Amino acid sequence: MDFVDEITITGIRAFGYHGVYPDEKRDGQEFVVDVHLMLSTARAAETDDVADTVHYGELAEEVAAIVSGDPVDLIETLASRIADAVLAHDLVQLARVTVHKPSAPIAVPFADVAVTVNRARADR
């Protein structure tokens, strides 16, 4: 097995309509996503060709489309959907996805709410 390297994209922002409450589904809010991919970048380093790695710009667009797409009740579900999309890239062995919901409907002051899921290719 090749040494596992990491590609990280933090702070992907997209507007979505996820939440348990009707007003969350009606009004929507911004979500922030961090994605960590574990894969070998050895081939890409040898060839210096983006085709031999995961194109992080395209992946960020995929993540934003999932957040902006079909609503779910739980950010756990949203994070899992994003992890599945990350693992659909053949080179990715492991994925860690954190979905932040900074405007969650919580009655006390808070800085952030986040759910992190960790998925391996074998989990599919």
Side-chain angles (χ1 to χ4, degrees):
M1 177 169 148
D2 287 330
F3 184 79
V4 177
D5 305 313
E6 187 169 342
I7 294 174
T8 302
I9 310 169
T10 57
I12 301 167
R13 297 185 186 300
F15 199 85
Y17 296 87
H18 313 289
V20 175
Y21 300 111
D23 57 321
E24 292 181 287
K25 290 224 179 355
R26 182 191 65 234
D27 301 336
Q29 61 190 282
E30 184 177 67
F31 293 83
V32 182
V33 179
D34 304 326
V35 179
H36 304 272
L37 330 175
M38 279 59 87
L39 69 162
S40 173
T41 62
R43 177 83 179 131
E46 280 178 26
T47 64
D48 198 30
D49 187 342
V50 71
D52 291 325
T53 189
V54 175
H55 189 301
Y56 50 80
E58 291 175 359
L59 182 63
E61 290 176 9
E62 283 181 57
V63 169
I66 293 167
V67 173
S68 298
D70 293 334
V72 297
D73 289 346
L74 302 177
I75 58 174
E76 290 86 344
T77 305
L78 183 60
S80 186
R81 285 185 179 179
I82 294 167
D84 288 345
V86 171
L87 287 171
H89 293 265
D90 290 336
L91 292 174
V92 179
Q93 299 169 23
L94 303 164
R96 181 183 320 116
V97 174
T98 301
V99 174
H100 302 265
K101 189 174 181 179
S103 298
I106 297 176
V108 298
F110 71 100
D112 189 23
V113 171
V115 169
T116 300
V117 299
N118 296 287
R119 299 288 186 267
R121 181 163 292 284
D123 289 346
R124 293 200 289 165

